[in-house]
Amino acid sequence: MHLNFSFIVPVYNRPEEISELLESMTMMDYNACFEVVIVEDGSTVPSEEVVKTFSDRLHISYYSKKNSGPGDSRNYGMERAEGNYFIILDSDCILPPHYLGEVDRELRTNYVDCFGGPDTAHPSFTDLQKAINYAMTATITTGGIRGKKNAVGKFQPRSFNMGISRKAFAQTGGFGKIHPGEDPDLTIRLWRVGFDTRLLQNAFVYHKRRISWTKFYKQVYKFGMTRPILNYWHPQTEKIIYWLPAAFTAGLIVSLVLWGMGIPVFIMMYLLFFIVLFMDAFYKNRNLKVAVLAVFAVIVQFLGYGYGFIKSTWRIKVGQAKPEEAFPELFFK
């Protein structure tokens, strides 16, 4: 089929980030035309003036609407886009020059109606950004679910770097109102109606994540809260591996208590795990500070996700609460 690509990018109060993304699009090694659709999701700091500076270099459209969340904003953009294949990006991403050429080559070789690509850290990123990137992408921490060939389970594209055909969007209605969690929810619904998904390993993006420790904890805490909701909606996708961060958190607390009681064997096992983490992070980043921060990032990630997962599981499975009523902060109206 003839592929006509439209990038869909929701943005919320981040004009400086959208500038970096658009600049990277102008430097891609791709000769065919493509469209860029920017959807301003109720921002108080708009990006319109930034977008205008790229109008002579990119085929770009700009829309502004009331705040309704990233999922609904992506749907809004896809409904108005010209292309027959949509590429969803977060505004804090930067594209390498080969990105769109790689996507085009892969889809022409082995077409799929939905794909996802990995995210990684650019050499210019801060040490904290690189450490958090390691925590979010390493196989030893997440099982490779964000873009590894050896990922645990069937690959579920994430909306920071995700492609979907117009046909698949039309048949599913696109993203739901939950956030985070709207991307795996869409993927599971795509599978249900017969579409497949595939990882494009080399179609990676640099995911900048302008983030602090506090924001990172809140992010992974919300990730943990949404997983039991997805299990509730799609029970066939529930896996024991989703309990691992919660088990890690509980085990660490028990190990610290036992250590205080003079039983150090379990905390030594955790120490061994942290040493392996440190060595792996150092090997991949070649930076001592990043390796140290990566260990702390993994601890924050597991604690936040684990606590959110336990809290959500208790409310939904034990308390029999409906997700929208139990956690209204996770849903856009």
Side-chain angles (χ1 to χ4, degrees):
M1 65 177 294
H2 175 70
L3 294 171
N4 186 10
F5 295 106
S6 292
F7 286 99
I8 312 296
V9 187
V11 58
Y12 181 73
N13 290 340
R14 292 182 172 183
E16 72 288 346
E17 287 182 353
I18 203 68
S19 177
E20 292 180 298
L21 172 57
L22 294 175
E23 187 64 39
S24 71
M25 288 179 175
T26 68
M27 296 186 286
M28 285 193 299
D29 300 326
Y30 187 74
N31 295 325
C33 294
F34 61 90
E35 180 189 23
V36 183
V37 178
I38 306 298
V39 181
E40 194 85 69
D41 185 26
S43 299
T44 57
V45 185
S47 304
E48 185 173 12
E49 293 303 316
V50 171
V51 172
K52 285 180 179 178
T53 64
F54 289 89
S55 60
D56 60 339
R57 290 180 285 169
L58 294 170
H59 175 37
I60 192 165
S61 302
Y62 174 85
Y63 298 96
S64 180
K65 63 174 190 60
K66 293 182 179 180
N67 180 252
S68 59
D72 186 63
S73 295
R74 298 180 191 116
N75 294 343
Y76 185 97
M78 288 187 281
E79 289 167 354
R80 289 157 178 78
E82 301 171 357
N84 61 7
Y85 209 104
F86 309 126
I87 300 179
I88 315 295
L89 299 174
D90 279 356
S91 62
D92 57 356
C93 289
I94 299 173
L95 300 182
H98 73 273
Y99 177 85
L100 193 51
E102 179 68 17
V103 170
D104 184 76
R105 184 185 66 80
E106 285 281 356
L107 292 180
R108 292 181 187 280
T109 302
N110 184 14
Y111 181 81
V112 68
D113 280 284
C114 180
F115 75 84
D119 58 339
T120 189
H122 191 273
S124 66
F125 287 5
T126 67
D127 291 339
L128 177 57
Q129 288 170 331
K130 291 176 181 177
I132 291 176
N133 174 79
Y134 172 84
M136 296 289 283
T137 62
T139 302
I140 195 174
T141 61
T142 62
I145 62 172
R146 293 175 68 91
K148 300 293 184 182
K149 288 182 178 179
N150 56 343
V152 176
K154 192 173 181 180
F155 178 65
Q156 299 180 16
R158 293 296 190 266
S159 54
F160 60 81
N161 181 11
M162 178 182 188
I164 180 172
S165 69
R166 179 178 289 276
K167 178 182 177 182
F169 168 64
Q171 289 195 26
T172 58
F175 296 94
K177 294 292 187 179
I178 191 172
H179 178 72
E182 71 276 15
D183 31 13
D185 171 60
L186 173 56
T187 297
I188 296 165
R189 289 188 285 109
L190 284 165
W191 294 341
R192 185 180 296 164
V193 295
F195 292 105
D196 201 4
T197 58
R198 187 158 68 91
L199 168 67
L200 305 190
Q201 184 71 46
N202 294 322
F204 62 85
V205 300
Y206 299 114
H207 203 174
K208 197 157 192 176
R209 294 195 188 92
R210 297 181 185 273
I211 204 164
S212 65
W213 287 118
T214 301
K215 291 180 179 178
F216 180 53
Y217 177 83
K218 289 180 179 179
Q219 181 185 50
V220 294
Y221 167 70
K222 286 186 175 181
F223 286 163
M225 285 203 298
T226 59
R227 178 51 63 179
I229 296 174
L230 295 173
N231 293 341
Y232 173 80
W233 288 343
H234 313 288
Q236 74 280 8
T237 66
E238 190 169 0
K239 294 182 175 65
I240 192 67
I241 192 173
Y242 297 142
W243 283 87
L244 290 183
F248 174 94
T249 301
L252 180 59
I253 293 172
V254 171
S255 297
L256 289 170
V257 172
L258 291 175
W259 183 32
M261 297 170 60
I263 306 175
V265 60
F266 296 105
I267 200 66
M268 291 298 104
M269 295 172 63
Y270 273 89
L271 181 60
L272 177 61
F273 174 69
F274 294 143
I275 291 172
V276 172
L277 273 178
F278 172 83
M279 294 175 63
D280 186 53
F282 181 75
Y283 172 77
K284 291 178 177 176
N285 291 277
R286 297 295 194 274
N287 184 305
L288 186 63
K289 183 179 178 182
V290 171
V292 173
L293 291 173
V295 173
F296 186 66
V298 171
I299 295 173
V300 172
Q301 180 185 29
F302 282 9
L303 291 177
Y305 188 101
Y307 174 57
F309 185 89
I310 292 172
K311 179 180 178 180
S312 182
T313 299
W314 180 266
R315 293 289 303 278
I316 292 171
K317 283 202 169 185
V318 180
Q320 298 294 304
K322 293 183 179 180
E324 294 85 348
E325 297 173 357
F327 304 107
E329 68 274 20
L330 299 177
F331 294 87
F332 285 89
K333 295 181 179 180

